[in-house]
Amino acid sequence: MEFRDLKAQYNKYKHEIDAAIEGVLKRGVFIGGEEVETLEEELKAYLGVKHCITCANGTEAMTLLMMAWDIKKGDAVFVPDFTFFSTGEIVSFVGATPVFVDVDRNTFNIDVQKLEETIIRTFNEGKLNPRAIIPVDLFGLPANFPEIEKIAKKYNLIVLEDGAQGFGGSIEDKKACSFGDAATTSFFPAKPLGCYGDGGGIFTDNDELAELVRSYKVHGKGESKYDNVRIGVNSRLDTIQAAILLVKLKIFIQHELDDVNRIARWYSERLKGVVDVPVIPNGYKSSFAQYTIKLKDSITREALQQKLSDKGIPSLVYYQKPMHRQIAFLDLACVDINFPISNELSNIVLSLPMHPYLQEEEVDFICNIIKNSTKV
Ligand SMILES: *Cc1c(COP(=O)(O)O)cnc(C)c1O
């Protein structure tokens, strides 16, 4: 069994995907071109945002926003402690300081009460200039944007939604990747909407910001690529990836998002009362980038992982190490006791196989192993 079966998807849509790639090969335009433009239009329409700017990957999408907002040395950016490294890395990369915030045990997302406390503490210390918050839609569940946006307004902070895992989720009628001042996503193959290589996107309603990002991603271009008004980078989604994403976006909307939600229900119906299953708050929809359960302790988790592996079932621990314990952030001198939840989660979480092509019998098989394993 595969953790995320990309081959099953390819086999089902081989004809469309091959034709899309062949179309690009025949036209001979490999950078930019109509596929990239059409994809940006379709993503905008799906998310209900004014601007979509594709780029090289999800990390660079966030870096480009840091550059456009001129976030720099001396600035503080609030980041959940339990996330992929990238979310904090891009803050340090531009010279600013990531200030980590513990997460909510149920949703895995940034704890809004601790967020406000941390913002107040940072203002009071007076060493850093608070600038932005980067909530992450962890495992596909949107962060608590209604509360986060209130806090951001109160303290005059920018909000960047890290929607790398969030594409397809929503709160009421508002889609993930449309929250905050700007949002980003990743098209890494294993993300909810993935291509066959690297890719990323930036989404915003802000005209000025969009204009700046479009300049930064093409060497700080002015009138053209050869008129350079600022120091930028080279960051683009290539044409073949855009062509693949056009096919994949269609099937994602047609059935894949519903499929993963149905599979999550299958899991939860079978595992409720056996282990802690994901909590989806009222009005929220997840795109289930991961289906993550919580075990009693790390010993129970290890034993279960072994039993699953013995039966050929892959499972993964996202994340082994909270941000504040990463060696790369050692110089921030974070206080370990400020992160009880993310410390605990790193010991007890386990992500199970999850993708739109998982069969009910496979879910049964996995759940039976878990039921038998946790009995002893
Ligand atoms: C995958 C991921 C990223 C980075 O995306 P890339 O396209 O791999 O650069 C950023 N944030 C989170 C939460 C992610 O899961």
Side-chain angles (χ1 to χ4, degrees), residues 57-59 62 83-84 86-87 136 162 164-165 186 188 191 199 319:
N57 57 63
T59 305
M62 293 195 283
T83 178
F84 179 57
S86 182
T87 322
V136 176
D162 178 355
Q165 302 179 15
S186 163
F188 180 82
K191 306 283 178 174
Y319 294 94

Side-chain angles (χ1 to χ4, degrees), residues 1-47:
M1 198 181 295
E2 304 244 351
F3 187 74
R4 188 169 186 93
D5 197 343
L6 296 171
K7 282 176 283 185
Q9 183 194 46
Y10 175 65
N11 288 337
K12 183 162 179 195
Y13 291 102
K14 182 176 172 14
H15 184 72
E16 285 94 326
I17 292 171
D18 288 356
I21 295 172
E22 208 179 308
V24 177
L25 297 179
K26 280 186 179 150
R27 276 189 290 281
V29 175
F30 300 106
I31 295 293
E34 64 180 77
E35 286 85 355
V36 176
E37 237 171 77
T38 311
L39 177 70
E40 290 183 349
E41 288 304 315
E42 290 193 8
L43 289 169
K44 266 163 49 179
Y46 175 69
L47 298 174

